[in-house]
Amino acid sequence: KLFPKIRFSEKRGFVYNGDVSNKLTHIVGEEFYDYLLNDINNLKERLIIFSPFMAYNRLSELLPYFIDLIKDGKKVIVITKEFSERKSKERYIYEKCEKELRDIRVQIIYKKGMHEKIVFVDDDIFYSGSLNT
């Protein structure tokens, strides 16, 4: 409230200046988050993440970006497995992750039998692969 223009996410040195409109780009695992975070920093309206699994370490890296998006009036949606499909020893971490997301007003949608690992950035960019975002 005291500093309404403060940003929580870090500016990254990675910037992709190429034109990928109407093109397919292959991104290897170690480059994935550079590309994704660059696209998140340039997001106009909505981020949708399909991720069947959640890890607190990864979420802690993404939360500052999500906070900034939501603060800027943009929408963040996470689609993940139903809680009943989680192993009992994993449930605590998933409860913690989901609470963190809800606390910053990320919309969570459950999908039974989920396996997809995809990301939509606005209506322009689509990530698909084996990496759990």
Side-chain angles (χ1 to χ4, degrees):
K1 290 180 180 180
L2 293 174
F3 304 100
K5 294 187 186 257
I6 195 167
R7 305 300 293 179
F8 294 94
S9 57
E10 64 184 75
K11 277 289 186 190
R12 300 186 49 100
F14 176 86
V15 176
Y16 181 75
N17 293 322
D19 177 17
V20 294
S21 58
N22 298 317
K23 293 181 183 177
L24 179 64
T25 303
H26 178 263
I27 302 168
V28 295
E30 57 270 7
E31 298 173 335
F32 174 77
Y33 284 101
D34 287 332
Y35 276 87
L36 179 64
L37 294 176
N38 184 66
D39 289 335
I40 286 173
N41 282 330
N42 294 299
L43 184 115
K44 296 174 193 93
E45 191 177 322
R46 174 182 61 239
L47 176 68
I48 303 172
I49 297 174
F50 284 70
S51 187
F53 305 101
M54 284 191 233
Y56 199 75
N57 289 343
R58 178 64 66 201
L59 182 59
S60 66
E61 292 175 26
L62 293 172
L63 275 175
Y65 294 89
F66 294 172
I67 290 167
D68 286 344
L69 291 174
I70 291 165
K71 190 175 110 185
D72 290 344
K74 297 165 184 169
K75 190 157 187 100
V76 178
I77 301 167
V78 172
I79 301 166
T80 191
K81 279 184 181 183
E82 289 186 354
F83 195 71
S84 63
E85 295 181 82
R86 307 280 182 202
K87 296 177 184 172
S88 58
K89 65 181 179 179
E90 300 172 331
R91 288 185 179 167
Y92 171 75
I93 196 67
Y94 284 99
E95 286 175 340
K96 188 173 180 178
C97 289
E98 289 181 16
K99 181 185 181 324
E100 293 283 343
L101 290 168
R102 280 195 188 88
D103 285 351
I104 63 166
R105 297 187 321 272
V106 168
Q107 181 180 355
I108 299 172
I109 299 172
Y110 298 105
K111 182 175 185 275
K112 189 167 182 67
M114 175 159 182
H115 185 71
E116 301 87 349
K117 297 165 186 107
I118 55 180
V119 177
F120 293 94
V121 180
D122 294 319
D123 292 333
D124 305 317
I125 300 168
F126 171 74
Y127 288 88
S128 176
S130 60
L131 190 65
N132 286 301
T133 308

